[in-house]
Amino acid sequence: MKNRKGTQQQAVTIAIVAVCLLLIASIWLIDVVLRLFRNPQDITAFIFDEREISENLVISIEEPESSETTTEHSSGLDSDSIPVMKADMGIPQGYKIIQKEQNSIHSTGNLLQLDNYHEFTGTVNMLTGFEQKNDKYRLRNMTLQVQAPVVNAMNELAEAYYQFSGRADLMIYSTTEIYASEGSLYPDILPDRSTGYCIDLAFLNDDGSISKITSANNGWLLENAYRFGFIFSYTESNQDTTGIVSAPYHLRYVGKVHANLMQTNHMDLNAYLNALQFYTIGNRYVYELQNASIYYVKAETSGMTNVPVPDGKNYDISGNNIDGYIICAYD
């Protein structure tokens, strides 16, 4: 009897365990089924969002296309350094930046516009004497001083005049001096004398006397001075714009490139400077006859101005005494 009861209890226990195992198996099976048919949208959305964020964080490192549109004109004129890459500021390759103080537009170079309406407010340094002059002209006194290029230019001019006339009677009467006293040959007060780029010429006669150069006897100079880099600052034709009467004895050195262009285009300095304002670094004026290019850079109203100049080549830079710089680059 006892054996039968024990056997029944054991069977019940086994059944309970079996039911539990069956329940566990059913739960596991249901979970597996649910996993197999579960919608995977959440995880794919996360992957997509992560990829999208990564792409948005990528910064392009491709070089930008150069915006340089340099134009060079060779037709008639119209009325201490920081390396710069080609695409920067529209500056062509082969150029660099120098910095100029704002006040230098009033004192730097040989193209300062100086007349009764534009006074000289700059400073002049590094004048030289005529120790290197040739024997084809004379000096009124040995204390006269000028900018160094004037000596070479005057040597060439006097040599050419001697070849033409057979005479060595040209005299430099004055340079930076102002002879306003009575009895002076040239008492006029001329604004550009103080720059050191000007000479007042006279004739030294055989008897030792000195004669004025006038509009009646300066024909050779009028026709040839530009060949050596000189212009006449004050003439009858520009008296209205300069406010100064004609001075046919007064020559100013501006360099051969500028003097030739002014002569060819029948311009005085005022008209020439106005015309050059249309020629910038990206639109340079090319003067093939002199292997030169010319352009204008507007100065900042205060502080320093970045001026592009040729890197490793010759150039001249001059303020215009108004608002900017003229750069002449040449081979």
Side-chain angles (χ1 to χ4, degrees):
M1 185 64 121
K2 287 182 179 181
N3 287 337
R4 183 182 295 177
K5 184 179 286 188
T7 299
Q8 289 177 346
Q9 288 178 347
Q10 187 176 5
V12 170
T13 300
I14 292 172
I16 294 173
V17 171
V19 170
C20 289
L21 291 175
L22 182 60
L23 287 174
I24 292 172
S26 298
I27 294 172
W28 177 82
L29 181 61
I30 292 171
D31 182 66
V32 169
V33 172
L34 289 176
R35 284 177 179 272
L36 290 175
F37 291 97
R38 180 179 295 166
N39 189 343
Q41 180 64 37
D42 290 341
I43 187 67
T44 56
F46 172 77
I47 295 173
F48 177 80
D49 291 342
E50 184 179 22
R51 184 186 64 209
E52 185 176 53
I53 292 171
S54 299
E55 290 176 350
N56 288 338
L57 288 175
V58 172
I59 300 174
S60 173
I61 58 174
E62 294 181 359
E63 272 190 47
E65 294 183 3
S66 171
S67 59
E68 178 197 0
T69 55
T70 300
T71 304
E72 294 185 338
H73 295 269
S74 56
S75 58
L77 286 173
D78 299 323
S79 289
D80 340 0
S81 64
I82 305 169
V84 177
M85 300 306 292
K86 183 176 181 179
D88 293 345
M89 301 169 56
I91 297 174
Q93 285 184 333
Y95 283 72
K96 64 182 180 181
I97 289 293
I98 63 171
Q99 291 191 317
K100 303 291 289 184
E101 293 183 358
Q102 199 278 338
N103 188 58
S104 65
I105 66 173
H106 304 296
S107 58
T108 297
N110 53 11
L111 292 178
L112 302 178
Q113 185 171 346
L114 295 165
D115 50 44
N116 276 358
Y117 312 110
H118 303 90
E119 64 178 335
F120 180 71
T121 60
T123 58
V124 176
N125 299 310
M126 303 298 292
L127 295 181
T128 185
F130 283 85
E131 291 79 9
Q132 303 302 317
K133 70 177 288 297
N134 61 24
D135 60 355
K136 300 302 188 292
Y137 64 101
R138 304 291 182 265
L139 300 176
R140 185 171 185 265
N141 63 66
M142 296 304 297
T143 64
L144 297 178
Q145 290 190 315
V146 289
Q147 300 283 351
V150 178
V151 179
N152 293 331
M154 184 60 200
N155 286 345
E156 292 180 3
L157 183 150
E159 179 66 38
Y161 175 73
Y162 177 79
Q163 295 298 325
F164 167 77
S165 67
R167 297 181 61 83
D169 57 347
L170 284 177
M171 169 185 275
I172 297 181
Y173 186 84
S174 60
T175 55
T176 59
E177 300 79 8
I178 298 174
Y179 296 108
S181 60
E182 185 177 351
S184 172
L185 195 64
Y186 302 130
D188 304 316
I189 298 176
L190 303 178
D192 61 353
R193 276 197 182 118
S194 55
T195 65
Y197 285 103
C198 299
I199 54 176
D200 295 335
L201 293 178
F203 289 121
L204 179 63
N205 302 316
D206 292 338
D207 62 2
S209 62
I210 302 172
S211 299
K212 289 183 179 181
I213 286 183
T214 68
S215 57
N217 63 14
N218 77 336
W220 186 90
L221 290 172
L222 194 64
E223 292 181 2
N224 293 279
Y226 75 92
R227 294 167 47 204
F228 312 100
F230 291 102
I231 63 170
F232 289 88
S233 298
Y234 310 111
T235 65
E236 291 182 4
S237 62
N238 70 11
Q239 183 172 339
D240 290 341
T241 57
T242 64
I244 297 172
V245 297
S246 175
Y249 55 87
H250 180 76
L251 297 181
R252 176 174 174 181
Y253 180 80
V254 296
K256 292 181 180 179
V257 171
H258 301 301
N260 274 266
L261 279 172
M262 281 185 254
Q263 177 77 11
T264 301
N265 291 278
H266 309 289
M267 291 180 172
D268 64 2
L269 182 59
N270 178 52
Y272 182 65
L273 291 176
N274 287 338
L276 288 182
Q277 291 195 4
F278 293 95
Y279 297 93
T280 61
I281 183 63
N283 182 40
R284 302 183 297 280
Y285 182 86
V286 175
Y287 188 32
E288 295 178 352
L289 189 62
Q290 296 283 342
N291 294 319
S293 61
I294 307 166
Y295 54 96
Y296 160 82
V297 175
K298 186 175 179 60
E300 300 293 339
T301 56
S302 63
M304 307 296 287
T305 297
N306 290 333
V307 181
V309 297
D311 189 3
K313 292 186 177 181
N314 296 320
Y315 67 90
D316 296 322
I317 182 170
S318 176
N320 62 9
N321 199 36
I322 303 172
D323 59 3
Y325 303 94
I326 305 300
I327 297 88
C328 180
Y330 51 91
D331 296 330

